[in-house]
Amino acid sequence: MIRCAFFIACALLLSVAGCGDNDHPTSPDAPPSHNPDGGDAGGDNPYGGVELSETLTFSDLDAPVHVVRDELGILHVRASTVADLAFAQGYLLAHDRLPQMDLLRRFGAGTLSELFGALSQDIVETDLGMRMHRMTPLAEEAYAELQASSDPTDQKIVTILDRYADGVNAYAADLAAKKYELDSAVATSFHIDTFEPWTPVDSLVLGRFQAFALSYGADNDLEVTQIYQSARKTFATATAADPAKLARKKAAQDLARIKPIGLVSPIDGFPKSDTSTERAPTAKAAAGPAQPDIPGSLLANARAAIAQRMLKGPRAFMWPRAGSNDWVVGPKLAGGKALLAGDQHLNLPNPSIFYPMHLVVPGQFDAEGVTFPGIPGIILGHNGKVAWSATVVAHDVTDIYHEDIVPCDTGTGDCTVFNGEQVPLETWTEELEVGLYGTPNRTITATYEKVPHHGPIFPVIENGAVVPRSETATPGEALSVKFTGYEVSNEIRTFIKLLYAQDADEAVAAFDDFDYGAQNFVIIDSQGNIAWTTHAKVPLRAKAAYTWNRETNPAGLAPFFVLPGDGSAEWEGYIDPSYLPQAKNPDQGFIATANSDPVGATFDFDPFNDGTIEGRPLYMSAFYAPGLRTERIAQLIEDKAADDEGVTADDMSAIQLDSRSTLGSHLLPAVVSALGQLEAATPRADVAAYLASLPPGRKARLIEAAGYLKSWTLETPPAVAADATAAEINDSVATTLFNSWLHFFVADALGDEFDAMGLDIYTVLENLTARLMVGLLVEPESLATGINATTNQPVLCDDMTTAGLESCDLEVIKALDEAVAWAEDDGFATTDMSAWRWGKVHTLTIKPLFPNDALNVPPPTDATYPNGFPKPGDTFVVNRADCGFNNLAFNQNADGPAERFVAWTTDDGEIRARISIPGGTIYDRGSTHYDDLLRNYYLPGTQADMPYTTEDIVAHGETRWLFTP
């Protein structure tokens, strides 16, 4: 359930209002004017050393608000009250990112069709899919709850939300009055005259959207169920009449492989393992209900309902694509310091997902870091006393139920059968306004169904409409989904409390309000403490929901499969938070997380045998990230800690940039061993026959390619620069060969099984197929299907469609042959193997959501990078640069670090930080801050120190604004 990371969702890409240096002289980015310091005269003027360039007057401010934009484009906002600060933050973020904010709220609310529905049916269908989750009604209830609360924190949050919205709308009014101008390319997709006023609920919708995006696990459950059940139907019932299928009788257990690759976890075992009387290993249950038989069309339709539709779309930020790294190092390994590093792996759009900012209310808080445009406060950052970052933790908080639908005995409507009784389905309707740029031309009415005790039924969405269930292929069956995010909650409380936290304990306590969207939150404080928490509501299911076992009960139930909706596998509360993975100042001196198994529960293929709680297995999840990044980060920390100086902040930054092939480190020895057959005096029979079939000279080409892999250091440089060294070129070519080899080996080894199951191997996420390859080549003894007695290699490598027997060695060689052919013809169009540089095919172009080449970074007119920025790395490295291997388009088209953040304690008992983001702060091509952080820091692999003290802000100040009553 991962591919790992962190928060919010969605293709922010169109966004933002900005003002360029030359074209829009009233922007904070503009050169200072000669306006007098009128509003500052005689008052507190902390940033007076920066020449004033703009004064804005608002009648509802309590006192002046001082704003400096520094040379990095980062805004430093200082106000006397929280209310004034929130107003200014809303105004300034809208100034830099208003169209983006509008898109974000529309993604969550499912109202994109009002802007672009007339252009694309996919946009309408995206909205129809999002309306199923009812984010706006839930946000409205959450806001009402805050308003009704007498808690001082809740009342402060209401004030912040209200004033933030006021600030956004004040800027929108100024934009409409022509005080500012948008970049002409941005303005093609955003019309201020149809902008709907911002509301406090909009900010809460975005908050729900970010949590939803990184915790909603329905797609994982559907994929794993589809693969597992298809394999059981295809192979588990085979007889001697079909020996090929019979040999694969246990294929389901292998194809839905739980065991990760890297076997390093932040802690070993769940908390309380030494004190709980319920921590005895869980019995291997073999009794209970069997998995329901799910029609393939139901699974396919449900997957389609949450599929990626709009280019990257909201799904690009959702499970299991999300990822991230974060880790903390304590004083004993870091020369007396506490260190924190975090980089969230999300989609890389233009403008960037994150917005760096510094917020100060003297006497209350002084916090800097990043936020999401549209959400007040600081989401990730530090306040001088505490620093925090996050990655996706992958708690299993989503269950899908197979519902038996029958006509209600009352004669009205349909019912589901639950605990032997009929329960009427509930329905609701949603109206979608479809138009262009906010001007509707038609309305779509869609009816959704809900199982009261579970949740919404996955709708069938076709041809821009929700199809009535009675018109589908399985009207008597349905899949419903239950999710902790379908309950009212207010995670914003956590982030407001973090602004005020004075130490690690107060920071950890702030997460008591974090109900869904679970993250690995790592924390340091100025006293040198390090901490980690994964706080969120995690369901405690009925005992029957945990009866699956890979060996003893492969037909049993598990929360990561679709469950029966008959009442046998229900939620029965939530796990006590004291059992959730967490730690403070562990003996090992560091805590490293990267979306992998937090306690090692899946390392033995069994997520249910790590103790019990209230008579049930202590279960958090089963399908985490492959563990490769966590393994590598832990290794690098330990290596750095062995140095005389210990781990330093510079080391933390360097680890974030590590692009050594982690998957290659596991697979390469086996691959090289198999390629040794190319030069063996007596190769195995199947390899000899294959080599004999090759055209003249082909074997020599394979030996040449194998030579690059044999000498590969596992580094992944682009090596396209004129001064690339011979070693870099060799590594670069090897990286190309390895990643293209992966593409072909997956299909050569496993494509026949997936074809027999009626599934496409290339639709399976790489998280799962990478595990399968390690099973085949590195851990064949772990495969349930076993070893073929003739080839002495895994059964799964044999091609079940041929009469002969194929070995894994042969499939490795065949895949390399196909990779070489691809590189010669389509990939590089040359037989010169030294020209097959990774940086020619693995490039990054940051794009807006709706195609507009003028907003690409780099643009097509960029003379240096016309095809994008050459990038090192791949999908599994620490410095993640997703390229995948399910197709041969190796451009970085999905995840990557959406920020790089490092924080450390100082000798003065405070915290400081550095940052880089893949973009700039102002979405305006005329601004120096359009993409400067990308080009000056992110791409070169450096980070900028964030000014924090008043002295530093003034020293690095570029322009100053004054908000005055």
Side-chain angles (χ1 to χ4, degrees):
M1 210 191 265
I2 244 185
R3 218 158 239 166
C4 305
F6 177 67
F7 292 79
I8 219 173
C10 209
L12 332 171
L13 312 130
L14 257 191
S15 338
V16 172
C19 297
D21 302 325
N22 301 317
D23 295 335
H24 314 300
T26 54
S27 106
D29 186 43
S33 71
H34 298 290
N35 292 347
D37 253 20
D40 280 337
D44 177 30
N45 187 6
Y47 305 141
V50 181
E51 188 174 358
L52 187 68
S53 59
E54 186 77 10
T55 300
L56 298 171
T57 301
F58 301 99
S59 61
D60 51 355
L61 289 176
D62 296 317
V65 179
H66 304 275
V67 181
V68 168
R69 191 185 296 275
D70 66 29
E71 59 198 13
L72 302 172
I74 297 173
L75 290 170
H76 304 264
V77 188
R78 183 184 183 100
S80 298
T81 67
V82 170
D84 284 353
L85 183 81
F87 177 89
Q89 186 182 22
Y91 190 98
L92 293 163
L93 267 166
H95 174 276
D96 287 359
R97 302 283 186 95
L98 183 63
Q100 177 184 22
M101 294 164 62
D102 191 36
L103 275 185
L104 286 174
R105 64 171 172 174
R106 288 180 178 279
F107 269 122
T111 59
L112 277 170
S113 296
E114 296 176 11
L115 294 183
F116 309 114
L119 298 177
S120 170
Q121 182 172 285
D122 285 347
I123 295 171
V124 175
E125 293 185 353
T126 294
D127 279 352
L128 289 171
M130 291 306 300
R131 291 292 183 96
M132 162 189 171
H133 307 297
R134 303 186 69 251
M135 289 192 187
T136 297
L138 286 166
E140 289 171 343
E141 290 184 56
Y143 182 61
E145 178 184 280
L146 290 170
Q147 287 181 304
S149 172
S150 59
D151 181 89
T153 297
D154 287 351
Q155 288 304 302
K156 182 177 293 184
I157 292 170
V158 170
T159 297
I160 291 170
L161 290 169
D162 289 349
R163 294 297 287 147
Y164 185 91
D166 291 342
V168 174
N169 293 326
Y171 170 77
D174 283 349
L175 181 63
K178 308 297 185 182
K179 181 178 178 63
Y180 306 104
E181 296 178 32
L182 295 177
D183 182 323
S184 59
V186 174
T188 61
S189 300
F190 177 82
H191 293 188
I192 187 61
D193 55 325
T194 56
F195 175 78
E196 294 289 335
W198 195 268
T199 72
V201 170
D202 290 327
S203 294
L204 294 179
V205 166
L206 293 186
R208 300 201 68 82
F209 193 15
Q210 72 174 14
F212 171 86
L214 301 166
S215 63
Y216 186 69
D219 39 6
N220 180 81
D221 291 359
L222 290 166
E223 178 182 61
V224 172
T225 298
Q226 189 176 47
I227 293 171
Y228 191 81
Q229 292 202 355
S230 296
R232 284 183 55 79
K233 290 177 182 179
T234 303
F235 303 115
T237 59
T239 66
D242 193 337
K245 288 186 177 180
L246 182 62
R248 293 160 174 77
K249 193 176 185 71
K250 294 184 178 180
Q253 290 94 306
D254 289 336
L255 299 181
R257 185 179 175 90
I258 287 177
K259 183 182 178 182
I261 302 171
L263 304 182
V264 174
S265 56
I267 58 175
D268 183 16
F270 290 100
K272 300 178 65 173
S273 58
D274 296 330
T275 59
S276 173
T277 59
E278 296 193 83
R279 296 297 303 212
T282 307
K284 304 288 188 184
Q291 294 175 26
D293 183 12
I294 314 296
S297 61
L298 271 186
L299 293 168
N301 285 334
R303 294 190 73 180
I306 54 176
Q308 175 175 302
R309 282 186 166 86
M310 289 182 55
L311 301 178
K312 301 297 182 193
R315 298 301 305 157
F317 300 91
M318 295 179 187
W319 206 252
R321 268 292 183 198
S324 303
N325 307 312
D326 67 7
W327 65 94
V328 286
V329 180
K332 79 174 186 178
L333 300 185
K337 309 288 187 183
L339 308 173
L340 175 148
D343 53 285
Q344 290 66 45
H345 302 164
L346 301 171
N347 194 255
L348 304 181
N350 185 22
S352 61
I353 290 174
F354 286 117
Y355 184 95
M357 206 166 198
H358 182 191
L359 305 176
V360 184
V361 179
Q364 296 199 45
F365 57 79
D366 186 344
E368 69 179 1
V370 294
T371 187
F372 295 104
I375 300 178
I378 298 295
I379 301 297
L380 303 172
H382 79 94
N383 65 8
K385 298 297 182 182
V386 174
W388 62 97
S389 189
T391 71
V392 168
V393 69
H395 290 334
D396 187 351
V397 296
T398 312
D399 282 344
I400 300 173
Y401 293 94
H402 179 235
E403 307 287 351
D404 182 16
I405 308 296
V406 299
C408 294
D409 289 341
T410 59
T412 303
D414 287 339
C415 288
T416 185
V417 179
F418 183 72
N419 289 328
E421 303 289 334
Q422 290 189 351
V423 178
L425 300 181
E426 298 175 354
T427 63
W428 83 92
T429 60
E430 297 279 348
E431 289 192 348
L432 272 69
E433 299 290 336
V434 179
L436 187 62
Y437 305 129
T439 302
N441 54 35
R442 64 188 175 102
T443 300
I444 295 175
T445 300
T447 299
Y448 296 79
E449 295 179 303
K450 177 183 178 182
V451 176
H453 45 276
H454 290 151
I457 286 174
F458 286 104
V460 176
I461 301 172
E462 294 178 352
N463 301 318
V466 171
V467 179
R469 186 172 36 77
S470 61
E471 299 176 14
T472 65
T474 55
E477 299 175 80
L479 296 179
S480 66
V481 58
K482 189 165 187 173
F483 172 50
T484 54
Y486 291 155
E487 301 173 7
V488 176
S489 60
N490 265 303
E491 285 70 28
I492 194 172
R493 291 181 179 124
T494 291
F495 297 104
I496 299 305
K497 290 179 179 180
L498 283 171
L499 296 175
Y500 294 86
Q502 295 298 296
D503 57 35
D505 290 337
E506 288 188 12
V508 169
F511 291 98
D512 290 347
D513 294 296
F514 207 84
D515 289 343
Y516 94 107
Q519 303 290 304
N520 289 297
F521 281 101
V522 294
I523 297 160
I524 63 171
D525 67 22
S526 57
Q527 301 168 37
N529 294 300
I530 65 174
W532 164 57
T533 181
T534 66
H535 193 283
K537 287 184 175 179
V538 179
L540 191 64
R541 287 96 170 171
K543 294 180 181 180
Y546 308 100
T547 56
W548 177 85
N549 181 270
R550 182 174 184 252
E551 297 297 333
T552 63
N553 191 22
L557 302 185
F560 47 84
F561 295 132
V562 174
L563 296 167
D566 58 8
S568 60
E570 298 304 300
W571 292 9
E572 297 180 347
Y574 296 99
I575 293 176
D576 187 294
S578 63
Y579 287 90
L580 300 181
Q582 56 195 285
K584 181 182 178 184
N585 298 329
D587 291 340
Q588 67 186 16
F590 71 93
I591 305 167
T593 84
N595 319 118
S596 55
D597 187 333
V599 297
T602 60
F603 292 178
D604 61 354
F605 290 98
D606 189 345
F608 297 150
N609 66 346
D610 292 272
T612 59
I613 179 171
E614 298 181 25
R616 302 158 176 81
L618 185 51
Y619 163 80
M620 297 293 164
S621 193
F623 288 94
Y624 297 95
L628 292 164
R629 285 178 284 114
T630 302
E631 177 185 62
R632 177 64 175 163
I633 291 166
Q635 174 192 334
L636 290 171
I637 292 172
E638 290 169 352
D639 290 348
K640 298 293 185 182
D643 295 342
D644 292 340
E645 189 180 0
V647 186
T648 67
D650 288 344
D651 292 332
M652 302 286 271
S653 297
I655 292 172
Q656 289 180 327
L657 294 170
D658 185 76
S659 293
R660 183 178 185 268
S661 176
T662 55
L663 185 58
S665 70
H666 285 265
L667 291 178
L668 187 62
V671 172
V672 169
S673 176
L675 294 176
Q677 291 282 314
L678 291 170
E679 298 182 89
T682 308
R684 59 189 311 143
D686 60 337
V687 172
Y690 180 77
L691 295 178
S693 71
L694 294 176
R698 194 67 183 173
K699 178 179 175 181
R701 293 287 287 163
L702 294 180
I703 292 172
E704 182 183 1
Y708 279 99
L709 291 171
K710 288 177 183 178
S711 60
W712 187 24
T713 69
L714 299 175
E715 295 300 327
T716 61
V720 292
D723 60 351
T725 66
E728 289 172 336
I729 291 171
N730 188 91
D731 279 343
S732 189
V733 173
T735 303
T736 299
L737 287 167
F738 179 72
N739 280 278
S740 53
W741 170 85
L742 286 172
H743 170 82
F744 292 108
F745 180 74
V746 168
D748 289 342
L750 299 170
D752 53 326
E753 283 83 11
F754 276 81
D755 287 345
M757 293 154 52
L759 301 177
D760 181 354
I761 183 64
Y762 287 131
T763 65
V764 181
L765 288 166
E766 294 97 332
N767 179 17
L768 190 55
T769 47
R771 299 165 189 254
L772 291 172
M773 287 187 284
V774 170
L776 291 173
L777 298 179
V778 183
E779 301 176 357
E781 72 284 351
S782 70
L783 296 171
T785 45
I787 305 299
N788 181 280
T790 302
T791 65
N792 201 34
Q793 292 194 353
V795 167
L796 290 176
C797 277
D798 173 47
D799 187 343
M800 60 188 294
T801 67
T802 66
L805 289 172
E806 289 81 17
S807 63
C808 291
D809 286 351
L810 175 60
E811 303 298 8
V812 168
I813 291 170
K814 285 172 58 180
L816 182 61
D817 187 24
E818 292 166 304
V820 168
W822 166 79
E824 290 176 341
D825 298 333
D826 299 325
F828 299 90
T830 177
T831 58
D832 179 4
M833 211 169 284
S834 67
W836 300 351
R837 315 284 178 85
W838 186 230
K840 292 182 180 180
V841 292
H842 187 44
T843 60
L844 171 65
T845 298
I846 297 176
K847 301 178 180 180
L849 177 58
F850 295 95
N852 185 342
D853 288 351
L855 294 172
N856 287 355
V857 181
T861 55
D862 190 303
T864 306
Y865 304 112
N867 299 314
F869 301 112
K871 292 295 296 295
D874 59 31
T875 304
F876 300 101
V877 301
V878 174
N879 185 19
R880 186 170 172 176
D882 269 27
C883 56
F885 50 79
N886 281 354
N887 61 50
L888 292 163
F890 289 118
N891 54 298
Q892 185 178 343
N893 57 11
D895 292 350
E899 71 149 351
R900 297 189 183 107
F901 179 80
V902 171
W904 62 93
T905 56
T906 70
D907 294 335
D908 298 329
E910 294 186 337
I911 291 176
R912 296 292 183 267
R914 59 176 63 145
I915 195 171
S916 68
I917 63 170
T921 56
I922 300 179
Y923 195 48
D924 186 310
R925 292 166 300 158
S927 169
T928 56
H929 300 303
Y930 173 63
D931 61 4
D932 54 332
L933 292 175
L934 169 76
R935 293 181 181 268
N936 298 337
Y937 297 95
Y938 187 90
L939 291 172
T942 61
Q943 295 171 356
D945 289 337
M946 298 184 74
Y948 186 67
T949 66
T950 299
E951 181 181 7
D952 281 346
I953 293 167
V954 171
H956 296 281
E958 185 177 270
T959 59
R960 180 162 63 96
W961 276 19
L962 177 68
F963 288 62
T964 185

